[in-house]
Amino acid sequence: MPGTAGDMDHLFRRKRVGLLKPLLSLSLVFVSFLMIHKLKLAEKDGARQKHARETYWCDAECASSKKGGGKTAAGSGAQRAPSGNRSSWDAQILNCSEDASLRSQGWFQRLDPRFHQFVLYRHCRYFPMLLNHPEKCAGGEVHLLMVVKSVIEQHDRREAVRKTWGKERAVEGRKITTLFLLGSPASGKDAKNLQKLIEYEDRLYGDILQWDFMDTFFNLTLKEVNFLKWFDLYCPGVRFVFKGDDDVFVNTNNLLDLIDFRVEARREADTMVGDTILKAIPIRNRQSKYYIPRELYDKPYPPYVGGGGFLMSSQLARRLFVASEDVELYPIDDVFLGMCLEKLRLAPETHPGFRTFGITKHKVSPMNSEPCFFKQLILVHKLGAEELLRMWSVVHREDLVCAKKTSI
């Protein structure tokens, strides 16, 4: 019969197509299921990472203290020994939840909302490290460790410090090493690209310590406690620590002279020298960067050194680490160190060579740009990157003649 073979072939093709349709549908359903499953996993992973960035992380001790009824690491009352027996940074990546019990307390409800997150998470104090350099204190004794607080965006300031007072070198056999302390980019910034840039900078110089907490004003105290723990762990051979900001001028030779004087006078052990602030009280002006509400702190501050820059001995740094673990975190970092000193029944010493408020408080004063003052002093705050480079060059010119010792 004509056409029979063609009809049969057409019939079989239709049957095959009829079978393929449900198979394709099943395949599409299966692929869709897999894609949805993968997206859900990615979403959960992204949420975990976002939560880690936007809140805080802490170590196992912090997490266990939360499970134990809301006690914080600072408020446990236990005196902890230095961590010299540990061999590596041990802060674990654990979700350190807020202390929700605070929300029902009257003082917290009256507290300025700007401080809520700080208070809810201040039991979280040790964080995972993103960039670490345990080798910086190895390979022989470091006489002076220069530790500089910075933020990722201030690359030009770090470059200026590396070319001037923070340049790693040996002065008459005394080794000087430099480190910069950073947190993570704050939310709302181009965090991924900024992180890549800082990792590239660290590959070039190998001098950055970075922790996984947001780099904000209130978190400056986290740089203090995390550095103290890091120093206790990795720096057994260091003798002195200078700690300061990335916008200061430091006359390194004068700083070394001060160290020599402390050693010769056998006054090394309890050394903390800087621009000491006495009888200060919390600032109640809500417009001030340093505003503190009464609900958070309502008594005079202990003596403390201005955070722009100060010198301390390694012995005191280790004692401060132990003391700091039993002091509740405070949103102003230099005041917090004063609280730790008070716990040790010590007070900082003032030295006229440290000018953390500048040479004069009036920026337009010609004294603030007079190189002979910089030649005589140890530290001057505050200079931008270009100002620092220019002043360093002028102060170290051989033809600079200062007729007499300057005083202010």
Side-chain angles (χ1 to χ4, degrees), residues 371-385:
C372 283
F373 286 129
F374 287 76
K375 194 175 181 70
Q376 304 290 344
L377 297 172
I378 295 174
L379 176 144
V380 180
H381 195 205
K382 165 178 191 179
L383 283 81

Side-chain angles (χ1 to χ4, degrees), residues 254-287:
N254 292 348
L255 183 61
L256 290 171
D257 288 344
L258 173 61
I259 289 173
D260 290 345
F261 173 78
R262 303 291 298 192
V263 172
E264 289 170 10
R266 297 183 179 178
R267 297 170 59 192
E268 177 180 343
D270 294 333
T271 293
M272 179 172 276
V273 181
D275 189 356
T276 303
I277 294 111
L278 301 169
K279 299 180 180 179
I281 58 175
I283 293 173
R284 304 303 184 195
N285 179 2
R286 290 175 176 269
Q287 306 306 314

Side-chain angles (χ1 to χ4, degrees), residues 274-302:
D275 189 356
T276 303
I277 294 111
L278 301 169
K279 299 180 180 179
I281 58 175
I283 293 173
R284 304 303 184 195
N285 179 2
R286 290 175 176 269
Q287 306 306 314
S288 172
K289 178 181 179 181
Y290 302 99
Y291 163 67
I292 295 293
R294 293 184 185 278
E295 292 83 3
L296 196 64
Y297 196 84
D298 196 20
K299 57 183 178 180
Y301 288 141

